[in-house]
Amino acid sequence: MTKSQKILRAIEPLIYARRWLTMGILLVLTVFFAAVAATMKPDAGYDKSIPLEHDYMKVLKQYQAEFGSANNVLVALIQKDGKGEIYNGEFLASLKAATDEVFFLPGVDRSRVSSLFTPDVRYVEVVEGGFKGGNVIPAEYQPTEEMYTLVKGNVNKGGHVGRYTTNDQRGAMIYSELLEVDPVSGEKLDYVAVARILEDKVRGRFMSPKKYVYKLTSDYESIPAGTVVGERFSLPQGFLNKALDGLYKFDYKYQPNPDEAPQLVRIGIQHTSYEEIDNPQYNPDVNVHILGFAKVVGDIIEELVPVVGFFLLTLVLTQLLLWAYLGSFKLALLPLVCSITAVIWEFGLLKLFGKGLDPFAILVPFLILSISVSHGVQYCNAWVSEISMNKRNSFDASLETWRRLAIYGTMAIMTGVVGFALIGLIPIDIIREMSLNACLGMAAIIVTNKVMMPIWLTWIDIGDPKAFAEKQEKRDAIFDPLWHLLSQMTNPKPAIISILIAGLLLGWSLWKGKELQVGDSQAGVPELLPDSRYNNDTAAVQANFAIGTDIIKVIAETEPEACVKYDVMDQIDRFGWRMDNTEGVQSTISLPWAARQVNLAFSEASPKYKVLPRNQYTMVQAITPIPTSSGLLSANCSAMAVMVFTRDHKASTLERIVHEVGVFNQENAAEFYELHDDVNAQYCADKLTARRELGEAKVSLQRQTEKLKKAKKGIGDEELAAHPKIQELTAAIGAADEKHKSFDKVCPVNFALASGQVGVMAATNEEVHRLEKPILYIVYIGIAICVFLSFFEWQSIVAIMMPLALVSWMAYAVMAILGIGMKTATLPVVALAAGVGVDYGIYIYATFADALAAGYRYKEAYFKTLKMTGKAVAFTGLTLAFGVATWLWSGLQFQRDMGKLLMFMFIANMFGALLLLPAIATFLLKPKQLAPGEQPVFKPRH
């Protein structure tokens, strides 16, 4: 008895001796995991979607307090064609109300909310006797014609056309930034709630002709019935959205006595009824456009309802095809029930690990479902074969099937687990969550397919065994001509032709795959349809504002108080000029740019003074009117931001800009060292390293503070300061600061990448480009090791891995043809889909090798393989491909793209296993030589 057989004999009693007890435990666990999974919520996060360990993101976090993050929300109000400029009472009232709504958004950084109505948007003009300046919209604003004329003049004087207003002044923009974590409570921002508020309270407020006022239907606590507790500007659409709306709660401030502070009371919508009234703020002349990560998340969540519908449609189609394939409705239910159970376990375990389901990881559950269906079909197919070919009853057929497939099936699943786990090496949190999610799902498959399904099969009543066997034999005989044809692949000539075609396909894939773009290959958000509301909003903003939504902030790092020194400002100014003349850059804004405007104003607007003053006192005069709230300089002027606005965020545009920044840094440094022989490149590199270490120490302190605030609500500053970890990090900051100050010689300005939305994209693209091939190689090395451990023969690695690798390289070529960019959302998909392909390969190779070891000739062995496992592989590949084909009608572009890619990979892996694998294995494996008169007898080797 082999070691594998000993393991099987030890586990058998746990499954088959007490089937009712084992099944009862599994059902209880399933109910438990279902209850846990029911509490799961979408878990979107901006920080976890970016590579925080990348150098660019370290710069972003280091200067986030001074120059903001990339987590923006932009709201543009644009008057419809023919409605004139914004300088009228109705539009400005709408802009003021929208600014107030954005200001009170959950998680918004209120210091960074900016519009024509905020005090940071100012103007300066030269008047007789000196200068005059103030807010663009003065505090004493009243809706009069004189005031409209004044505001328009102030907008023009402040140079805000194209940024805060559209180029033709028919619209206006509100800028804001969101905080990922609440600085007071330490709680993570709920992006879904923010998106809902933006859609209802901002867009709906001005674009919905009706308003819905909610009143209490009965007394609630001490609040009397009939009290208005909330208002909304839109109602949920669709069955599921209406059902989920029952969980909605209003935050109502109740003040029972005038002398007491108001109390915040959360009132469920089920305690209210609504009254539909005319919306007094409805503005039929205005369109509202909303951009930002939070809105993207919200739009994806909106599409999750139809996405779930497509998943259900795929399940229904799979069930019907399984029914047609197996000839029994009850039997066809088992793979689906076990697969759905595996997904329930996956969600429950994920929730117990403290995670939610990220909207960008919605494909992982379907991949788990697909892999589970693949294993389930193989198991049911083998069980039917045991009954029809070996005349066994349900129990014995299940037991023999388990003995034959348990080792191979479990190792196939473990191979997938290793592949999914290795994806977690990518240092982006959302991918690590996807890796954990997939690993938990694969672990669940082991239980549902290798324990639950065998027990259920023992209880399947097949009726008359003889009639059932005859029925199955007739069904199988239908495809015998096809299996005879495919078994020709083991003949030398077809095998060689198959291998040569595979070589040609590999060469084509390597050539075409070079065209695969890392990052976005089109404008807008690629996860949504080109004509989606969000992408239409993006197009409207880009068409009407001179400064677009795509921005990369390059941080000019230098010495304290450097902004009054001409040589430093000149370096930054020259850098801005280089960026302005880089293809793909729309415009730039920097402190030297602003200083030139002020100097021009001080010089009676004479064009010859639109330069940087060389005199230090004049320079002080030029920068004094520019506040730190402008986002152009830090408090001590040791860092200044250069805002580079790009025409789009395509990968090619980002590569050009990043390249130019690097080239300018080198050229500028070389020129500086020629003029300053007291420093060199190594000294300045060490100084920059010390500066970065100081920044990282401050970021670590901030993160630890957020963790402590989240862990202990209401913790005070004194208690925080006394915490050992806080004291340790504070001491580390002090040491890092002293080290940085020890470098007291002046170095050239370092232009550090990067902050801003495009900066994040550039960092992500570089990380994906750096890791896409190494991660794939590591995944395949892990899979190869597991394949070897399954069979302990090198031939298995070659025969199984070569078709799998070919399909992966072909997938890159297909992505290039379809225009699907390689990014964080798509990077794991090729590796994850390999989990399905390795299942196909292991089942085909195991049966083929067992048949050859039993003494069958190549053609006979492969014909038997096709009858036993090959038909299940063909059915699974075609069924899953047919199921994901329905995704081509999804409302998410990402799902459409992944539907095309997965459809290709399911079919290509199927053909690789059925056609290429036996061709390769024919040259690697030798059949057993039988003694004269000996007949081959098939039995598993393990």
Side-chain angles (χ1 to χ4, degrees):
M1 185 179 290
T2 65
K3 186 176 290 185
S4 298
Q5 290 171 332
K6 290 179 180 179
I7 294 173
L8 292 177
R9 294 297 187 270
I11 299 175
E12 275 179 19
L14 299 177
I15 300 174
Y16 289 97
R18 293 177 174 82
R19 289 172 290 164
W20 285 105
L21 176 61
T22 303
M23 182 59 74
I25 293 172
L26 293 178
L27 291 177
V28 169
L29 287 173
T30 301
V31 172
F32 169 72
F33 285 130
V36 173
T39 64
M40 180 180 287
K41 297 179 179 179
D43 182 26
Y46 188 78
D47 280 0
K48 72 177 184 179
S49 66
I50 63 178
L52 292 174
E53 298 174 21
H54 193 280
D55 289 343
Y56 297 176
M57 298 301 93
K58 291 178 181 179
V59 172
L60 181 148
K61 288 297 180 182
Q62 180 172 350
Y63 296 105
Q64 184 169 326
E66 290 90 352
F67 304 120
S69 69
N71 195 359
N72 303 318
V73 171
L74 308 181
V75 178
L77 279 68
I78 302 177
Q79 295 207 127
K80 296 177 181 178
D81 292 339
K83 297 300 179 181
E85 295 182 334
I86 64 174
Y87 307 106
N88 60 77
E90 194 170 3
F91 180 89
L92 291 177
S94 297
L95 179 63
K96 175 67 167 63
T99 303
D100 292 342
E101 285 294 341
V102 172
F103 187 81
F104 289 104
L105 272 178
V108 77
D109 184 350
R110 294 179 181 175
S111 65
R112 298 191 182 278
V113 176
S114 185
S115 82
L116 293 179
F117 275 95
T118 56
D120 62 313
V121 181
R122 300 175 61 81
Y123 74 97
V124 177
E125 64 175 329
V126 180
V127 295
E128 185 178 352
F131 289 90
K132 176 185 176 184
N135 297 346
V136 166
I137 298 182
E140 64 275 12
Y141 166 79
Q142 292 294 328
T144 63
E145 291 297 330
E146 293 78 9
M147 187 62 73
Y148 304 150
T149 303
L150 175 65
V151 170
K152 181 177 180 179
N154 293 346
V155 168
N156 290 313
K157 293 170 189 173
H160 300 303
V161 176
R163 187 179 186 193
Y164 285 96
T165 73
T166 58
N167 297 320
D168 56 7
Q169 302 193 50
R170 289 190 305 108
M173 179 75 79
I174 304 168
Y175 296 88
S176 65
E177 291 184 9
L178 297 177
L179 300 171
E180 179 85 358
V181 177
D182 189 308
V184 177
S185 66
E187 292 292 334
K188 186 178 176 182
L189 180 63
D190 184 349
Y191 284 94
V192 178
V194 173
R196 186 173 58 240
I197 293 172
L198 284 170
E199 195 60 40
D200 183 58
K201 301 292 186 182
V202 179
R203 197 194 305 265
R205 181 179 296 275
F206 309 110
M207 296 187 67
S208 171
K210 298 295 181 181
K211 181 169 75 169
Y212 306 92
V213 178
Y214 286 79
K215 301 178 181 179
L216 285 175
T217 54
S218 59
D219 292 350
Y220 185 86
E221 295 182 358
S222 56
I223 307 174
T227 301
V228 176
V229 296
E231 63 180 22
R232 297 163 83 181
F233 296 89
S234 60
L235 296 176
Q237 303 297 318
F239 172 77
L240 186 56
N241 283 331
K242 290 179 179 178
L244 294 175
D245 195 52
L247 304 175
Y248 187 87
K249 295 182 182 296
F250 294 102
D251 289 332
Y252 177 68
K253 289 185 178 180
Y254 178 57
Q255 189 172 12
N257 297 309
D259 299 333
E260 297 179 5
Q263 303 173 7
L264 186 64
V265 181
R266 305 208 75 188
I267 303 173
I269 197 171
Q270 66 271 18
H271 299 290
T272 66
S273 62
Y274 69 83
E275 176 185 354
E276 181 181 314
I277 63 174
D278 290 335
N279 178 11
Q281 292 180 293
Y282 171 58
N283 190 338
D285 299 333
V286 167
N287 286 322
V288 180
H289 309 279
I290 306 174
L291 305 178
F293 175 77
K295 195 67 186 69
V296 173
V297 171
D299 285 4
I300 291 177
I301 293 293
E302 276 189 21
E303 290 296 334
L304 284 185
V305 176
V307 164
V308 172
F310 280 111
F311 284 165
L312 293 176
L313 177 60
T314 303
L315 289 178
V316 171
L317 292 174
T318 304
Q319 170 64 28
L320 294 175
L321 292 171
L322 279 171
W323 187 7
Y325 172 71
L326 296 171
S328 168
F329 184 79
K330 289 188 295 184
L331 196 58
L333 272 177
L334 286 185
L336 274 186
V337 170
C338 288
S339 300
I340 293 171
T341 303
V343 173
I344 291 172
W345 281 47
E346 172 197 358
F347 285 167
L349 289 168
L350 192 64
K351 177 65 176 178
L352 292 177
F353 272 82
K355 306 292 184 180
L357 182 62
D358 193 284
F360 295 95
I362 56 175
L363 294 183
V364 175
F366 180 78
L367 287 173
I368 295 302
L369 195 76
S370 303
I371 294 171
S372 182
V373 167
S374 174
H375 284 275
V377 170
Q378 285 288 353
Y379 208 96
C380 288
N381 180 69
W383 180 83
V384 169
S385 297
E386 287 293 333
I387 292 176
S388 61
M389 297 173 64
N390 299 324
K391 315 305 180 187
R392 303 182 190 277
N393 60 31
S394 296
F395 182 92
D396 292 338
S398 176
L399 181 59
E400 288 302 316
T401 299
W402 188 82
R403 288 172 177 172
R404 180 160 71 87
L405 297 182
I407 294 295
Y408 294 140
T410 303
M411 287 308 299
I413 295 172
M414 291 306 300
T415 301
V417 170
V418 170
F420 297 153
L422 290 173
I423 295 172
L425 295 174
I426 300 173
I428 301 176
D429 286 346
I430 187 173
I431 295 181
R432 288 172 173 167
E433 283 190 17
M434 291 172 70
S435 171
L436 173 64
N437 190 354
C439 288
L440 294 175
M442 295 297 284
I445 291 175
I446 294 177
V447 177
T448 58
N449 281 68
K450 306 307 172 189
V451 180
M452 185 177 285
M453 179 172 283
I455 295 175
W456 261 328
L457 283 172
T458 64
W459 294 329
I460 293 290
D461 182 12
I462 59 173
D464 182 1
K466 184 177 180 180
F468 182 82
E470 291 177 354
K471 178 183 176 183
Q472 293 301 324
E473 287 173 2
K474 289 181 180 179
R475 297 170 63 84
D476 288 347
I478 296 174
F479 296 98
D480 281 353
L482 177 61
W483 307 144
H484 280 297
L485 177 63
L486 292 180
S487 64
Q488 299 292 331
M489 295 305 302
T490 57
N491 292 333
K493 188 175 180 180
I496 291 173
I497 292 174
S498 177
I499 293 172
L500 289 176
I501 292 174
L504 292 174
L505 286 174
L506 178 61
W508 172 80
S509 300
L510 293 173
W511 168 72
K512 192 66 179 178
K514 293 179 180 179
E515 299 177 12
L516 177 63
Q517 190 125 25
V518 175
D520 294 337
S521 56
Q522 66 273 347
V525 175
E527 286 78 13
L528 301 170
L529 296 178
D531 60 349
S532 65
R533 179 175 57 194
Y534 187 92
N535 283 331
N536 284 334
D537 284 350
T538 301
V541 169
Q542 290 177 338
N544 287 282
F545 289 85
I547 297 176
T549 58
D550 293 324
I551 176 175
I552 180 171
K553 298 178 184 178
V554 182
I555 310 302
E557 298 176 310
T558 181
E559 311 299 320
E561 310 306 329
C563 54
V564 298
K565 300 175 181 176
Y566 173 79
D567 60 335
V568 172
M569 294 285 278
D570 181 58
Q571 292 177 62
I572 301 173
D573 195 36
R574 286 189 289 110
F575 173 77
W577 183 89
R578 175 74 72 89
M579 289 295 99
D580 278 327
N581 289 276
T582 299
E583 184 183 353
V585 173
Q586 191 171 20
S587 61
T588 64
I589 294 178
S590 63
L591 185 62
W593 172 88
R596 288 204 311 272
Q597 314 305 314
V598 175
N599 194 49
L600 176 69
F602 270 108
S603 307
E604 298 181 348
S606 175
K608 66 179 181 180
Y609 289 105
K610 194 179 182 181
V611 295
L612 286 175
R614 293 176 178 268
N615 182 280
Q616 183 170 335
Y617 298 105
T618 309
M619 183 73 80
V620 171
Q621 177 181 260
I623 69 163
T624 297
I626 306 168
T628 56
S629 61
S630 65
L632 296 177
L633 69 163
S634 62
N636 66 352
C637 259
S638 63
M640 288 161 269
V642 180
M643 300 181 185
V644 181
F645 295 90
T646 64
R647 298 188 185 280
D648 54 59
H649 54 256
K650 294 180 181 178
S652 55
T653 302
L654 272 58
E655 289 172 3
R656 280 194 300 272
I657 293 173
V658 169
H659 173 74
E660 283 299 321
V661 172
V663 170
F664 184 87
N665 249 337
Q666 292 177 354
E667 294 175 353
N668 184 63
E671 182 179 328
F672 184 90
Y673 296 139
E674 288 180 3
L675 300 175
H676 302 79
D677 56 6
D678 58 328
V679 293
N680 55 37
Q682 185 59 53
Y683 176 89
C684 291
D686 293 340
K687 182 175 182 178
L688 180 61
T689 299
R691 184 182 192 122
R692 202 68 71 236
E693 289 173 354
L694 174 59
E696 291 177 11
K698 291 179 179 179
V699 171
S700 297
L701 176 62
Q702 178 186 349
R703 289 176 178 167
Q704 185 61 38
T705 302
E706 290 171 354
K707 287 182 180 178
L708 293 174
K709 287 182 176 180
K710 183 177 181 180
K712 185 175 182 180
K713 307 296 183 184
I715 187 171
D717 292 341
E718 292 183 4
E719 189 176 352
L720 271 174
H723 193 278
K725 190 66 177 177
I726 296 296
Q727 292 181 341
E728 177 187 339
L729 291 172
T730 303
I733 291 175
D737 190 34
E738 288 299 321
K739 180 180 178 181
H740 181 243
K741 288 179 178 177
S742 67
F743 292 91
D744 55 356
K745 296 180 181 179
V746 177
C747 286
V749 176
N750 178 61
F751 295 94
L753 291 162
S755 182
Q757 177 186 355
V758 176
V760 171
M761 292 180 180
T764 304
N765 290 355
E766 287 191 6
E767 200 70 7
V768 170
H769 188 270
R770 181 178 71 88
L771 292 171
E772 58 164 327
K773 295 297 188 300
I775 286 296
L776 189 63
Y777 298 148
I778 291 171
V779 167
Y780 276 118
I781 289 172
I783 292 176
I785 292 172
C786 288
V787 168
F788 180 78
L789 293 175
S790 300
F791 301 96
F792 291 100
E793 51 194 31
W794 64 269
Q795 295 92 333
S796 64
I797 297 177
V798 178
I800 294 174
M801 296 302 298
M802 286 185 69
L804 203 61
L806 172 61
V807 173
S808 293
W809 288 108
M810 288 180 67
Y812 286 131
V814 169
M815 290 175 68
I817 292 172
L818 296 176
I820 302 173
M822 181 64 75
K823 48 190 296 185
T824 54
T826 55
L827 177 60
V829 172
V830 175
L832 288 172
V836 178
V838 78
D839 290 347
Y840 297 166
I842 286 178
Y843 281 120
I844 293 289
Y845 180 87
T847 309
F848 187 46
D850 288 347
L852 290 174
Y856 289 96
R857 301 297 91 189
Y858 288 115
K859 187 175 179 180
E860 295 172 336
Y862 194 51
F863 178 76
K864 192 168 188 66
T865 299
L866 291 169
K867 292 272 287 184
M868 295 180 68
T869 58
K871 63 180 181 181
V873 167
F875 170 80
T876 303
L878 293 173
T879 300
L880 294 178
F882 184 65
V884 297
T886 62
W887 295 7
L888 301 182
W889 289 271
S890 170
L892 289 177
Q893 185 64 43
F894 173 70
Q895 190 182 19
R896 290 187 181 187
D897 291 340
M898 291 305 99
K900 297 172 188 174
L901 186 60
L902 288 175
M903 189 163 56
F904 164 77
M905 296 200 72
F906 288 149
I907 294 177
N909 277 315
M910 177 194 74
F911 280 120
L914 293 177
L915 301 178
L916 183 57
L917 188 154
I920 296 171
T922 298
F923 295 101
L924 303 177
L925 301 175
K926 301 299 180 185
K928 175 186 175 182
Q929 296 301 317
L930 299 175
E934 182 183 2
Q935 295 296 319
V937 178
F938 180 86
K939 63 178 181 179
R941 294 176 297 162
H942 298 288

